[in-house]
Amino acid sequence: MHVTNLLLEEPIRMASILEPPKNNLSAMTKIVGTLGPKSRSVDVISGCLKAGMSVARFDFSWGDAEYHQETLENLKTSVKSTKKLCAVMLDTVGPELQVMNKSEKSIALKAESLVVLTPDQDKEATSDLLPINYDGLAKAVKKGDTIFLGQYLFTGSETTSVWLEVSEVKEVDVVCTVKNAAVLSGSLFTLHVSQIHIDLPTLTEKDKEVISTWGVRNEIDFLSLSYTRHAEDVRQAREFLSTLGQLSQTQIFAKIENIEGLTHFDEILEEADGIILSRGNLGIDLPPEKVFLFQKAALYKCNMAGKPAVVTRVVDSMTDNLRPTRAEATDVANAVLDGTDAILLGAETLRGLYPIETISTVRRICAEAEKVFNQDLYFKKTSKYVGEPMSHLESIASSAVRAAIKTKASVIIVFTSSGKAARLIAKYRPTMPVISVVVPRLITNQLKWTFTGAFEARQSLIVRNLFPMLADPRHPADSTSGSNETVLKVALEHGKAAGVIKSHDRVVVCQKVGDSSVVKIIELEE
């Protein structure tokens, strides 16, 4: 994979490092928070939204539909009270191997002891026997293979995760040697076999049932397709969504978390709407020294394709601590400098003790990294990658960003129906926020008339730099009439209320007038 490292080409001023933090610091990089036991009350969710969460992730690896529905209803209440828009992401289980611990008693494993993995789920989990949800493991592994166990997402901690080495295969059971002492707690743990193909479908029947019921009921914005291994996985998921009415608009984010997905990354990126780099599992499949290389290469490819990229596993220690480690803080900043669109928090918000503080901390780090992001170098690399001649839309998008930077505009306002124009502008990573004014369209399925726009607006919430607002459908912004000026006025007021536009600021506006796309610069009065 080709790697481009967008390093800083100018020194960072020491004065900027010593500046006190600002309470209202806003980040362009988005934050996906996983809602669960420690983050499902209205108060906590409201705090997460105010702290900067713009996408709520519902992980169906655990909990039933009723549990997640209760959480989602609390999210809706929080959105109304805080007036903070939030998108919904459904995370599938996929071919995930799990250890079932029905008694939920803690299991202590001693180094160099033996433990048996068995597909007999009627057995009770003990330090000698662990029942798993897959009856094909004995056929997939051999003596000497490495297996990793951890709660929810792997932490790598020697006390809560365990390395196993396959010692012997006995019919359907796998006998393993424990390589480090650990205490496993909870109802289930994730099992990962390094660089081994698991013969299970990417979109399981259980996943399809959840999507066609819970997903349809709640009109999910994003489907996180766990363990995506081939482009065909994405195509099959899209075909399934197309049969579910409104979910034909749901975007599919391919979750890359094993060597198969990494090998077929380019073809997966071409089919998917976005990519999630699941570094927890990848850190097991890849040698540690190779993880950073994959991250930089993958983010570069996503950036050039103009598709959102999401990075996971950045502040694991904040699951139990109020502050991240120095390495984690640097990791978050480097992900931003590498070009990530969003940071995904898993265990940190799902079962972590400080979900609100974690989101706030990550947001502040992102904002600081964005200050020193080399936009000029990035713009040149992106333009060079696109090449010439540019498409009409690409030319308009790059021109809008160039004009905004040259005039030191405080914001770019773009009118869009599909969201494509706004995403193209965001692709060039302007230094200022982009207000995406989504203009609804009236469509019919021959039985009833409906307005589009809600999906497109919410789906902007995972794209770096984009901040959506839904226009009044009574004022289409694509004509030569005065209606587009009405919508622009509303957008400017929205920007002022958000604190990104002030008197005498310059604003770049990108909109359609008749059959033409126009980029104009306006200077605000008092």
Side-chain angles (χ1 to χ4, degrees), residues 379 390 392-406 412 425 428 508 510 519 521:
F379 187 93
M390 283 185 174
H392 175 74
L393 265 181
E394 194 91 45
S395 177
I396 291 293
S398 60
S399 297
V401 174
R402 186 184 290 109
I405 292 169
K406 294 291 184 184
I412 299 173
I425 288 176
Y428 286 88
V508 168
C510 183
V519 174
I521 303 163

Side-chain angles (χ1 to χ4, degrees), residues 25 27 31 51-52 314-315 317-318 321-325 328-329 332-333 343 345 354-369:
L25 204 58
I31 297 176
V314 289
V315 285
S317 70
M318 289 197 76
N321 299 291
L322 199 51
R323 283 172 65 92
T325 65
E328 288 172 334
V332 174
I343 300 292
L345 301 173
Y354 310 102
I356 299 171
E357 292 85 353
T358 301
I359 292 170
S360 180
T361 299
V362 170
R363 187 186 188 193
R364 290 199 305 273
I365 297 169
C366 289
E368 286 295 328

Side-chain angles (χ1 to χ4, degrees), residues 262-320:
L262 174 57
T263 303
H264 302 104
F265 184 85
D266 289 355
E267 63 186 61
I268 291 171
L269 175 61
E270 192 172 337
E271 287 292 330
D273 297 300
I275 296 289
I276 297 175
L277 309 180
S278 185
R279 303 189 309 172
N281 285 357
L282 275 171
I284 306 302
D285 254 20
L286 289 173
E289 66 272 17
K290 297 287 187 180
V291 176
F292 86 95
L293 196 63
F294 164 71
Q295 174 173 311
K296 289 181 181 295
L299 290 179
Y300 173 77
K301 286 174 177 285
C302 290
N303 291 166
M304 295 304 104
K307 293 188 177 182
V310 183
V311 168
T312 71
R313 307 305 306 282
V314 289
V315 285
D316 289 343
S317 70
M318 289 197 76
T319 303
D320 302 304

Side-chain angles (χ1 to χ4, degrees), residues 334-353:
N334 278 328
V336 174
L337 296 176
D338 284 344
T340 191
D341 284 82
I343 300 292
L344 190 154
L345 301 173
E348 303 98 321
T349 54
L350 176 116
R351 58 180 171 85
L353 303 178

Side-chain angles (χ1 to χ4, degrees), residues 113-119 128-129 132 137-147 164-179:
S113 64
L114 294 178
V115 63
V116 177
L117 304 179
T118 179
D128 301 314
L129 186 75
I132 63 174
L137 185 63
K139 295 179 181 177
V141 300
K142 62 183 184 303
K143 184 177 180 179
D145 281 346
T146 299
I147 297 177
L164 306 175
E165 184 178 294
V166 177
S167 301
E168 184 183 0
V169 175
K170 287 185 175 180
E171 296 182 351
V172 295
D173 293 345
V174 178
V175 182
C176 300
T177 301
V178 178
K179 304 306 289 184

Side-chain angles (χ1 to χ4, degrees), residues 2 83 89 121 141 148 165 188 206 250 299 316 318 342 374 455 501 518:
H2 177 68
K83 293 181 170 57
M89 175 182 284
Q121 296 182 39
V141 300
F148 192 76
E165 184 178 294
L188 55 83
K206 179 182 176 183
T250 298
L299 290 179
D316 289 343
M318 289 197 76
N374 194 327
F455 273 97
I501 300 177
V518 176

Side-chain angles (χ1 to χ4, degrees), residues 230-243:
H230 303 273
E232 185 59 28
D233 295 338
V234 182
R235 285 191 286 268
Q236 288 178 3
R238 200 177 301 284
E239 185 179 340
F240 178 67
L241 290 178
S242 70
T243 66

